[in-house]
Amino acid sequence: MEITYQKGFAQEVLDKSGVNANLCYQCKQCTAACPVVDHFDLAPHRLMRAIQLGQRDKVINSRTVWLCAACEACSSRCPQGLSVPHIADALRIAATQEGIQPAVPAIPIFYQAALRGIKVFGRMYEAGLMGELYGRLALKGQVDYGDFAAKEIPLALKMVKAGKLSPLPPLSKRARHKGAKGSTEMSPELAEGAERISVGYYPGC
């Protein structure tokens, strides 16, 4: 990809994420702390430098913004208190709004499937999530069937056998939010006059 420079990109990132990338002085503590840096095309400190230089296309099309696990290990080490996960979130949103195809297509599919399962069943439905994920990737021709048969299926069977993965969705009253103890439904007293809001869920790492 040809590297282009866009003046004001760091300000755009600041406006969208609340993180001032210009405060980064390249100590590399973020990269040293990142548990998934080996899978990035731009290490966290390089991502920050690219933002400072205005390399918008390079940053917004990178694998890094999609693969960031939001573990905040970088933020906890940063002497300036900068958050790469906040930047990654903002850039994922910007890329989606602009119709930019994600560098890792499985990531947004995973988010969508996870949120759909939680909305329908009240909690994460892992088997359904993986079914939707691999089904949609298969339609795009992006599934390595050899790897899937050799790794994913044996792991799933092992988890089912250990009772860690149910092939059936959760159907309890608690899962459906029907007023069971611990339900997220508000009491009539609290609900009166209360404003209902929508909350986004992010699986993180």
Side-chain angles (χ1 to χ4, degrees):
M1 176 187 296
E2 180 183 356
I3 297 178
T4 58
Y5 299 88
Q6 179 174 317
K7 184 178 180 181
F9 181 41
Q11 183 61 48
E12 177 189 346
V13 169
L14 174 59
D15 293 340
K16 291 180 176 178
S17 69
V19 180
N20 187 354
N22 285 327
L23 295 178
C24 172
Y25 54 82
Q26 297 291 290
C27 69
K28 303 182 182 178
Q29 289 291 331
C30 53
T31 295
C34 182
V36 292
V37 67
D38 290 343
H39 303 283
F40 289 173
D41 49 1
L42 288 175
H45 75 281
R46 293 187 181 277
L47 179 81
M48 300 299 275
R49 177 63 83 194
I51 293 172
Q52 292 172 349
L53 294 175
Q55 297 174 342
R56 190 180 195 276
D57 289 340
K58 181 178 182 179
V59 170
I60 207 166
N61 286 287
S62 70
R63 292 170 55 86
T64 300
V65 298
W66 292 98
L67 291 175
C68 173
C71 66
E72 298 285 354
C74 55
S75 310
S76 66
R77 298 279 190 89
C78 179
Q80 296 286 69
L82 305 179
S83 175
V84 174
H86 287 180
I87 291 176
D89 279 343
L91 293 177
R92 281 194 293 263
I93 293 170
T96 301
Q97 291 174 339
E98 295 171 24
I100 297 173
Q101 292 300 310
V104 187
I107 301 296
I109 295 176
F110 176 88
Y111 293 157
Q112 293 161 11
L115 288 168
R116 187 175 294 110
I118 292 169
K119 182 177 181 180
V120 173
F121 301 112
R123 53 152 291 180
M124 187 81 77
Y125 173 34
E126 292 87 353
L129 185 157
M130 297 310 293
E132 179 176 342
L133 174 63
Y134 280 105
R136 291 175 62 181
L137 288 176
L139 292 175
K140 294 175 178 288
Q142 296 174 343
V143 175
D144 182 338
Y145 292 101
D147 187 70
F148 179 76
K151 297 180 181 179
E152 303 296 341
I153 292 179
L155 178 60
L157 293 175
K158 183 177 179 180
M159 291 178 68
V160 170
K161 185 176 180 181
K164 301 295 184 180
L165 179 66
S166 172
L168 300 176
L171 296 174
S172 67
K173 288 184 178 180
R174 184 186 298 273
R176 293 200 303 265
H177 304 295
K178 293 297 185 180
K181 185 178 180 181
S183 169
T184 58
E185 290 292 333
M186 292 186 291
S187 66
E189 294 79 10
L190 292 177
E192 185 177 354
E195 180 182 356
R196 182 172 294 276
I197 62 173
S198 297
V199 178
Y201 172 80
Y202 175 62
C205 62

